[in-house]
Amino acid sequence: MDIATGAIGNILSKLADLLKAEYMLQTGVKDQINSLTKELESAQTTLQEIDQVHPDQLSNIDKIWARDVRDASYDMEDILDTFLVRVEGPSEPINKKRKLLEMLPDKVGGFFELFERLQEKVGGFFGKTVARHDIARAIDNIKKRLQEATERRGRYNNIVTRPSPSSVVDPRLAVMYKQVTQLIGIDKSRDELECLLSSQLGNEMLDKKLKIVYVVGVGGLGKTTLAKAVYEDMKGQFSCCSFVPIGRNPDLKKILRDILIELNKDEYMDPKFTVLDERQLIDELRAVLQGERYFIVIDDVWDIKSWESINTSAMVENNNGSRIIVTTRNSEVATGDAYHQYKLRPLSDENSKRLFYARIFSGEDKYPENEQQKVPKVAEKILKKCGGVPLAIITMASYLVGKSMEEWLEVCNSIGFCGKDKKQTSDTEWILTLSYNDLPSHLKTCLLYLSIFPEDHLISKHALIWMWIAEGFVNGGKLGDGLFEVGEGYFNELTNRSLIQPVEEENMVVKACRVHDMILDLIRSLSHEENFATVSKEISKGINARRFVLQNRVVEDTPEDNSMNTKRARSFITFRCRFSPRVNLRCFKLLRMLYLEDCKDAQLDEHVGNLHHLRCLGIRGDYDSYELPKEIGCLKFLRVLYLDHRRIGGLLPLSVGMLTQLVCLYAPGINLPSCAIKDLMALQELQICCVEGDDMSKDLFLKDLCNLSELRVLVLNCGNMDMRMESDLLISVGNLYPQPHFVYDGWLSSFIIDPSQFPRLSHLSLNMDSLRNKDLEIMGGLPELSYLYLCTYKSATLTGTTDRGYFKKLRSCLLPNSTVHFVVNEDSSVSFTFWYKGDDAPAFPFKRVKQDKCRVARAVMPNLEALLFAVNVLELTACNNGSCHNLGLEYLASLQKVTVHHHDFWLNPNSDADELIERQKAALRRTIQALPNRPTLQFIDLW
């Protein structure tokens, strides 16, 4: 249902644009558009209501109707886009006439050229008139199709009996009564969770406070199993206990009564309590808990609202050392002053094998000796598919019990958990499908889009969000938000629901994600059912999906007579393919998305200029210097140009400046003509390698830069600039509203400028060849700065006080060449030294002793969570009698992660110091682990 809903949303917005614009529509067409809009709005509302019903409870008539609406909406979208191309797009080139003109004498040629221009104008006028006739006829046809589908649904719904809601038994109920002794691989997680719930290192006051621990993880990972095991272990330590699952659509009244029944079954099973309303039940529960040391498990919370309605109304803080466990798939549920979060990890390889073999060989089914040596190899492949998820392992093991080795091998080639004949398989599907069905429509579409990526693929978060935007999945948002910010919200929501697995970098910034194989199997199955995308081995007959994906193939040149096979394809996406001789685009007539990743010889020819419908062109991979054909300028409706070839070089064609609807120009390894951005007023993100040209060209670029009023992200390198140009660049960035994330890959000599010009700058990345104390103070005064990358070969110091603090909102600080040093002075001010060991560097600063008696002021980096810096541990410890305590990191109250660039090349190359280095690293490790927040530590050796 959700796919059709998403398509309708795109059409409604395009129809609205059509009404607003001056397209000289025929008389009555606007009335037709208004009528079609109302028809589509009604269909969208009905689809949204149907979307709340579990798919197993839908009639086939409803499913057929939704399919008809979906197909009609896709066709309508094609019609609208084709109309826009015909009335706004570039005229078709007349190559033969151009060649003829070149052969004629000047006067004759001039006459023919004048005639040709007149012919093009007249032809264009009549072409647009025909287009207006066509759009009127097409709108009428689509409206009739929708009405016929609705009438047909109404006729047959009257005689077809809807299936009654099936009585589905939650498979997790069995887990609650499973003997803990039968569970495998739970010991470590159980001990860690019990430790979180236990005392606070002898602190009696904290021990008496109510503590809430949230167990977070994807469905099937064993959250309920773990919570039940801990509950059984610890309930003897409490005066009253309750374990209550709540599920997807919680009934607060039922939950409250269930908790009471668990607390005192004899009393609260009395029918008189069934007549109490929510307020009365809350009062009753609070009265019971008030004087007790209670232990309650609230299992399977889906959203914040459900948990808050229970927590704020019924849970009592009585200072008796009570404990609560909440299990959830959504990390956003974990909120409040007393909370701790425990992220449940998949089973280790060893425990996965133990669980798998325990289920396989628990009965009498044994393999003959001549086949037993095959079992470990096949099992390893199957367990890799299960990814350490206990429910998946049990499901597959139960399916394979009693089957021959040949059948095991077949499973290796076609694992999917798609069968309906096994209860365990249905259990796995049921749990994963619940998570999917709980998503709003726009997130379902975004999640299904991940089905195009290969298994175990590291998916770039940045590229993915721009692909969502180009496909039309991202709309709306708060006033002032850019498209990427809205899409990033979608990404974060899928992460919070444990449906995608985020991949962090050293600065705690999520740059990529992966999709668990179980989730991938589910969304591929749903994508196939909805005809959302086709992942194929070759361009062949029968391709009928709007998104066509090729993976790991050699793609031969496709003859034009096969173009009918791809007539419905609107997206062509490839991964790790090789094109011979080059990418053939002639068989795609209405392509909107062209994305090539890690594809050898993925060279585009001039035919790319004929893809007038194209909204996104993306090329990623380890390619040589890449150059686009000049025909790229014909793609008038292109919104995203994403060129990430990971090598520096090449020049974008000047015709890029004709792409006036471009919102993202991402080409960090490619140079940009200086005058190319003049008309790109819609740009929200600009990332390029360098600006080509002399100083005059760069001045022109900086002048044009001021006019990009929608810009949110700016990453560039203008090459060598004098101080005047540097100042102009910073002023240009300061004049943009809202301020973009600013990354400059060149070398700036200073950052002297009024910080009030950057009131909204949140991300800053710079290389500075002449850092001064004043530069550092200015950066520290940027009011919204949350991310700083600063590479320099100079040292600087600033001092913060309670009245004047620095880097107040900074969360990530990356200083790859410098060592940091915090010192509390006698007046309670904090000195922050940004130190680099060089020829003109000051003396090593870490001999200073901290003033331990002084009260520490949160004057520098009070919110810093991730810190990367460089240090020579041997030199540091030599100044402090083998200790690393003089860095002053204990003043960073919010620190969670430390990454250290270890400069071993500062050592005497002839010294045998490996053992000494390891001892000094251990000293630094002890120092970091002794910090109040116990941040994680990672060493990166720089040789």
Side-chain angles (χ1 to χ4, degrees), residues 156-172:
Y156 291 105
N157 255 352
N158 292 331
I159 59 175
V160 176
T161 304
R162 286 176 177 270
S164 59
S166 54
S167 178
V168 181
V169 178
D170 188 337
R172 292 164 299 173

Side-chain angles (χ1 to χ4, degrees), residues 622-634:
D622 190 11
Y623 307 125
D624 292 328
S625 178
Y626 196 93
E627 303 216 2
L628 289 176
K630 63 181 183 299
E631 286 79 9
I632 191 78
C634 298

Side-chain angles (χ1 to χ4, degrees), residues 596-599 619-624 644-647:
L596 315 171
E597 183 165 331
D598 292 328
C599 296
I619 301 175
R620 296 188 72 234
D622 190 11
Y623 307 125
D624 292 328
D644 184 7
H645 60 64
R646 304 172 199 164
R647 294 191 186 181

